[in-house]
Amino acid sequence: MSSDRGNALISILFIVFGGPGILLVYLPFWLTRFRIPPDEPHGQILLASALILLGLVPLFESIIRFVRVGRGTLVPTAPTRHLVVSGLYRYVRNPMYVGVVTSFAGESILFEQQAMSISLVIVCLGMHLFVCFYEEPTLTRRYPLEYPIYKSHVRRWLPRFTPWKAAAQ
């Protein structure tokens, strides 16, 4: 199996059985059994569906970008060989996390359960702490020249209006 195919497979398995799958499939199923309230307005269902689908885009874009550009995976234990600063990463440092939160917010709206809303707050806090105390220090050590520059130009959670253009490497 080629390196790119292997990295893609590892990343897909991570999405299905790791963090994103746990947060977007297993936890909502456990909390709601995927039951949509019978009297839910169609507009609310449409909004929730749009948020869920919109949030999935960065997950799949990240797989492709991490495999092809970064030459690695989404899995923290099998990281990229190159810092990924292209695609959605030109707008926000953590598009995959933003996407997961967007999809989870859509699910919270869809299922209308207080437990989902509370979980959303806990997920946001957990992601923030993970990024601040593990991911950013790790990336700073792994890419000591590139990451601090990238970090100074692209915000952690709020996307830029214009894409950041990294200096030619």
Side-chain angles (χ1 to χ4, degrees), residues 20 38 50 61 70 88 126 144 150 153 159 169:
E61 200 269 348
L88 296 175
Y150 172 65
H153 288 91
Q169 298 178 19

Side-chain angles (χ1 to χ4, degrees), residues 142-154:
R142 188 173 292 137
Y143 309 106
L145 300 176
E146 301 163 271
Y147 189 69
I149 294 168
Y150 172 65
K151 187 176 169 182
S152 71
H153 288 91
V154 179

Side-chain angles (χ1 to χ4, degrees), residues 87-141:
L88 296 175
Y89 291 86
R90 295 180 313 151
Y91 295 90
V92 65
R93 287 200 313 259
N94 299 293
M96 191 170 50
Y97 296 140
V98 171
V100 167
V101 167
T102 301
S103 289
F104 200 92
E107 290 178 329
S108 295
I109 292 168
L110 182 65
F111 299 122
E112 288 188 336
Q113 293 234 348
Q114 183 178 12
M116 285 291 292
S117 299
I118 292 168
S119 295
L120 177 60
V121 172
I122 293 168
V123 164
C124 288
L125 179 61
M127 283 183 182
H128 181 72
L129 293 173
F130 178 77
V131 165
C132 290
F133 294 108
Y134 172 77
E135 194 166 87
E136 289 180 350
T138 300
L139 290 170
T140 300
R141 282 190 303 276

